Amino acid sequence: MSRMSKQEKSWVFYDWANSAYSILITTAVFPLYFKAAATDAGVSATTSTAYWGYANSIATLLISICAPVLGSIADFKGFKKRFFTFFFALGIIFTFLLAVVPSSQWLFLLICYMLTVIGFGGTNIFYDAFLVDVTTEERMNRISSNGFAMGYIGSTIPFILGIALIILSQQHILPISVSTASQLAFAITALWWGLFTIPMLKNVNQIYYKEQVPNPISNSFKQLLQTFKKIKLYRPLFLFLLAYFFYIDGVNTIITMSTAYGSDLGIDSTNLLIILFVTQVVAAPFAYLYGKLADKFQAKRMLLVGIIIYIIICSYAYFLKTVLDFWILAMLVASSQGGIQALSRSYFAKLVPKENANEFFGFYSIFYKFAAILGPFLVGVTAQTTGNTNSGVFSLIILFIIGAVILLRVPETTEIPHSNSI
């Protein structure tokens, strides 16, 4: 950290800040809290699960549809920071509301959660695009990887606090209910997210931009048509997005399906939480290592290394039988999960024209969001057809192979013409 500029440190700390949301709200606590609240209100497990799925799908779809338009507008001078701040405020306010809305109001809780998803996802579009403003091309791999590393480290602290509150309340060591302990965990998430975003708000500004025009919104829609042309005409960018769609789908599927996969092996929830925690801790130094190695051997080669490791993970999963096997699998995931995501972000940032970074990162966000569809479907169909969960995970090898083949075809050059030259 001491070797980073103030802007780089401030940008990296946002990963530290928002990772609390990822682990406590998205993954570990709120899904269980919502299910319990809905059950207590007399809603069947099937219905509450359906509502949970609808909420995630609708929120993701909304932010995905808006991403390119907002990104195009944000390329104008002064807009990027405004959009970042708006979505950040939306996310943090409604995350805090999760802590104060009574658990009996399960439907309102779900609406609040949807707004946190939109806030979190919207903020990340502009956060990722700010990478071009805070550092040089030569340092992008390292800074992006440092961000993921700090995110993994930072997420463990509120995670420990939140889980400790819940466990202590379950064991009646703390004189509060599990529901209240969960609400305190949500409040910790909001405070953590807000406090460590202050450096980003204070020190990071838009350096690359287009001058404002009289009608920025209508102009942005016109610009979107040009963006489609750029993606088609600029081969490295188009091929990378295509490769990214396939391999990141595999990465996301393994992340989202890991808990269900562990449950199928008979691993209880406490052990799954421990494995999740250790995975976060181990992933941090490996994310940093990927950044260092990318500077030495090139980001594209390290992305291919990450994909190869995930192919090994899928192959190993086919023979998985014991809890020890699951631990080994989790550590393999930890070795490359952060690195492959960090280098994808920095590699893409080098491909895009800086004055149109938000616009292109809007499309990057769409590919990331919609890459969460094919993988789970592939796992589900394969597992149901074969009657074996291991076969379902093994089927993801197809996505990684396709992603690797396309990535190999991405030209080595990372130069892109400016928008006015296309």
Side-chain angles (χ1 to χ4, degrees), residues 402-415:
I402 293 173
V405 170
I406 298 173
L407 185 61
L408 284 169
R409 295 178 64 83
V410 176
E412 293 298 329
T413 179
T414 57
E415 294 182 3

Side-chain angles (χ1 to χ4, degrees), residues 239-288:
L239 286 176
F240 175 76
L241 280 175
L242 195 58
Y244 176 74
F245 174 82
F246 284 102
Y247 73 71
I248 208 66
D249 192 359
V251 172
N252 289 339
T253 302
I254 287 174
I255 293 171
T256 56
M257 301 290 288
S258 58
T259 303
Y261 188 37
S263 297
D264 288 348
L265 288 172
I267 303 173
D268 59 51
S269 58
T270 302
N271 278 319
L272 282 173
L273 288 174
I274 292 171
I275 293 171
L276 177 62
F277 170 73
V278 175
T279 300
Q280 296 289 110
V281 174
V282 173
F286 275 101
Y288 176 76

Side-chain angles (χ1 to χ4, degrees), residues 94-403:
F94 282 93
T95 298
F96 185 76
L97 279 179
L98 296 178
V100 297
V101 173
S103 60
S104 58
Q105 302 293 320
W106 66 272
L107 187 57
F108 185 48
L109 273 173
L110 192 61
I111 293 170
C112 289
Y113 168 73
M114 289 174 66
L115 290 168
T116 70
V117 172
I118 292 171
F120 179 79
T123 308
N124 280 344
I125 295 169
F126 306 105
Y127 167 65
D128 288 344
F130 263 119
L131 180 59
V132 304
D133 298 296
V134 300
T135 191
T136 63
E137 281 199 16
E138 293 75 22
R139 291 175 59 81
M140 281 183 184
N141 291 330
R142 188 170 300 186
I143 298 304
S144 183
S145 297
N146 284 355
F148 268 92
M150 289 293 286
Y152 284 123
I153 297 170
S155 66
T156 60
I157 300 171
F159 178 71
I160 290 171
L161 291 174
I163 296 302
L165 286 170
I166 293 169
I167 292 175
L168 291 174
S169 66
Q170 286 175 333
Q171 297 179 350
H172 305 292
I173 297 174
L174 285 178
I176 57 175
S177 66
V178 174
S179 179
T180 301
S182 298
Q183 289 175 317
L184 287 173
F186 304 150
I188 289 171
T189 302
L191 289 171
W192 185 275
W193 189 0
L195 178 63
F196 290 107
T197 303
I198 292 174
M200 177 82 180
L201 295 172
K202 183 179 178 182
N203 300 320
V204 175
N205 293 296
Q206 185 175 5
I207 304 299
Y208 298 98
Y209 53 81
K210 298 182 293 187
E211 292 295 337
Q212 291 190 26
V213 293
N215 299 300
I217 296 177
S218 60
N219 185 277
S220 296
F221 278 101
K222 294 176 183 177
Q223 185 63 39
L224 280 177
L225 297 176
Q226 295 299 317
T227 300
F228 280 109
K229 288 174 64 178
K230 293 172 197 171
I231 291 176
K232 291 178 180 178
L233 292 174
Y234 188 63
R235 191 164 174 265
L237 182 61
F238 176 73
L239 286 176
F240 175 76
L241 280 175
L242 195 58
Y244 176 74
F245 174 82
F246 284 102
Y247 73 71
I248 208 66
D249 192 359
V251 172
N252 289 339
T253 302
I254 287 174
I255 293 171
T256 56
M257 301 290 288
S258 58
T259 303
Y261 188 37
S263 297
D264 288 348
L265 288 172
I267 303 173
D268 59 51
S269 58
T270 302
N271 278 319
L272 282 173
L273 288 174
I274 292 171
I275 293 171
L276 177 62
F277 170 73
V278 175
T279 300
Q280 296 289 110
V281 174
V282 173
F286 275 101
Y288 176 76
L289 180 62
Y290 261 77
K292 294 273 286 185
L293 293 175
D295 287 342
K296 186 175 182 179
F297 299 108
Q298 295 184 339
K300 180 177 171 180
R301 290 180 183 176
M302 292 309 302
L303 282 172
L304 289 168
V305 168
I307 291 172
I308 290 170
I309 290 175
Y310 268 97
I311 290 174
I312 294 170
I313 288 168
C314 294
S315 301
Y316 187 77
Y318 184 76
F319 303 98
L320 210 65
K321 292 181 180 179
T322 67
V323 175
L324 177 60
D325 288 333
F326 192 79
W327 269 101
I328 294 171
L329 193 72
M331 294 307 100
L332 282 171
V333 170
S335 74
S336 295
Q337 176 180 295
I340 200 169
Q341 293 181 86
L343 293 185
S344 295
R345 178 169 63 186
S346 59
Y347 192 81
F348 186 74
K350 292 179 181 181
L351 288 172
V352 302
K354 292 181 175 61
E355 72 277 10
N356 295 88
N358 301 284
E359 190 179 355
F360 280 98
F361 267 102
F363 283 94
Y364 182 82
S365 176
I366 284 184
F367 274 73
Y368 181 83
K369 299 293 185 185
F370 281 92
I373 298 172
L374 183 58
F377 178 77
L378 186 61
V379 170
V381 170
T382 306
Q384 198 168 31
T385 302
T386 62
N388 186 345
T389 305
N390 293 27
S391 298
V393 179
F394 179 72
S395 68
L396 293 175
I397 200 170
I398 297 170
L399 301 179
F400 290 111
I401 291 173
I402 293 173

